[in-house]
Amino acid sequence: MNQKTLKRQYSFEGKGLHSGRFAHLTICPAPAGTGIRFQRTDLGTDAFVDALAENVSSTSRSTTLSKGKVAVGTVEHLLSALTGLEVDNALVMIDSAEMPILDGSALPYVKAIAVDGLVEQDAPRQYIEFKEEIHIEDKSSGAYLKVIPADEPSYEVTIDFNSRVLGVQTSFFDFSQDYVSGIAPCRTFCFFREISALLSFGLVKGGDLDNAIVIVDSPVSQRKLDRMARLFNQPSVSVSPDGYLSNIELRFPDECCRHKLLDLMGDMRLIGGFPKARIVAYKPGHKLNTSSAKKIRQTL
């Protein structure tokens, strides 16, 4: 299989999930062998950082890439979209330090790009191959990630937040399935009990009920609901019988697990290409995902 890039440029704009700052973003075609590269246009014509694991500088509720003074945060959704569409090479031009969150999923990206299709390039795809299994574990949480050599890439995620709302969920994806309809629409999520702490750490300043699922897995007072309504600039918020804020309609019963799979695909793209492996993750997060990608990069 040959490498692929975009047929044309695609532009997006919106606020960052954590910073709340507005950003303009343009995804451009790139020559064979480029991989995925970010350019901070507000910092100059040579302000680049490549989407590689050694450039990960933060994993606090998202993945940030940095090289010198060039930093771009919350890159995982776009990286997942480009991976799901099988894009090998792209230049991502952005004028701010965080990607726009859009609707909290990868759907806006893939809806724009998939209509046009891709351009095949005159160079073979460079798959990342593995001679033996790699196993990374976080003993404090029991989370782990396994990389199992295989002929084709696939991804499997199991989540367990000890939540009465979510329970234990497992999702799987390989490239015989349709990423556009099955994975890309799945939105980011958090728990109601986390929001105050996240705000105190300077995070989720751009979060709202249009770009995130909020899970309520313990009783909440009306006072707290009223405070949350003011925070989200809503006249009121409520809790649905199945435990979600403001009766949000899930796109899939296991949307939260599918979003974790979406994140995993984006973070694992930081190995520098498509893995010839089955990636199996239990209770994954950005720290585990990117640590695993770094370990893989070190073995290449």
Side-chain angles (χ1 to χ4, degrees), residues 11 41 47 57 63 73 80 90 92 98 118 124 138 140 163 169 174 186 195 213 215 217 240 245 247 269-270 286 291:
S11 295
T41 57
S57 58
T63 297
S80 183
V92 183
E98 186 181 15
L118 302 176
D138 180 348
S140 64
S163 166
Q169 301 178 2
D174 66 20
C186 299
I195 293 176
I213 299 167
I215 301 157
D217 60 356
S240 67
L245 199 62
N247 302 303
R269 183 59 185 270
L270 299 173
H286 297 298
S291 295

Side-chain angles (χ1 to χ4, degrees), residues 102-123:
L102 304 178
D103 76 340
S105 77
L107 188 60
Y109 297 127
V110 300
K111 283 178 68 176
I113 297 169
V115 171
D116 294 328
L118 302 176
V119 173
E120 185 171 312
Q121 299 175 289
D122 189 21

Side-chain angles (χ1 to χ4, degrees), residues 25-243:
L25 164 75
T26 301
I27 314 169
C28 309
T34 301
I36 310 301
R37 172 173 260 203
F38 292 84
Q39 180 184 11
R40 282 285 303 275
T41 57
D42 57 318
L43 298 181
T45 57
D46 59 350
F48 295 98
V49 58
D50 292 315
L52 297 173
E54 54 265 35
N55 292 329
V56 173
S57 58
S58 174
T59 54
S60 182
R61 303 297 295 221
S62 66
T63 297
T64 298
L65 300 173
S66 299
K67 186 174 183 181
K69 295 182 179 180
V70 181
V72 184
T74 316
V75 298
E76 60 273 11
H77 296 175
L78 176 58
L79 290 178
S80 183
L82 295 175
T83 301
L85 292 173
E86 297 193 71
V87 176
D88 296 89
N89 305 297
L91 172 64
V92 183
M93 304 171 67
I94 184 169
D95 64 358
S96 185
E98 186 181 15
M99 301 284 287
I101 189 61
L102 304 178
D103 76 340
S105 77
L107 188 60
Y109 297 127
V110 300
K111 283 178 68 176
I113 297 169
V115 171
D116 294 328
L118 302 176
V119 173
E120 185 171 312
Q121 299 175 289
D122 189 21
R125 173 171 291 166
Q126 298 298 307
Y127 284 99
I128 309 300
E129 300 191 16
F130 301 86
K131 295 180 179 179
E132 57 185 16
E133 183 173 318
I134 298 174
H135 188 190
I136 301 93
E137 183 177 3
D138 180 348
K139 293 183 179 178
S140 64
S141 66
Y144 64 78
L145 187 145
K146 293 181 180 180
V147 181
I148 304 167
D151 292 333
E152 300 290 340
S154 67
Y155 308 82
E156 180 181 311
V157 164
T158 298
I159 62 170
D160 182 2
F161 289 91
N162 193 27
S163 166
R164 67 172 183 83
V165 174
L166 292 180
V168 179
Q169 301 178 2
T170 298
S171 297
F172 174 83
F173 175 81
D174 66 20
F175 288 93
S176 69
Q177 303 174 43
D178 183 21
Y179 175 90
V180 175
S181 63
I183 304 299
C186 299
R187 296 159 290 181
T188 192
F189 65 93
C190 69
F191 291 89
F192 187 95
R193 53 183 157 78
E194 298 178 300
I195 293 176
S196 293
L198 290 171
L199 287 169
S200 70
F201 285 115
L203 301 173
V204 299
K205 293 178 182 177
D208 58 42
L209 298 182
D210 294 323
N211 60 34
I213 299 167
V214 180
I215 301 157
V216 186
D217 60 356
S218 58
V220 177
S221 67
Q222 187 60 49
R223 180 178 61 83
K224 289 185 177 179
L225 288 174
D226 292 343
R227 179 174 178 271
M228 201 58 57
R230 292 192 296 272
L231 179 65
F232 288 137
N233 295 315
Q234 299 287 325
S236 65
V237 296
S238 59
V239 181
S240 67
D242 53 352

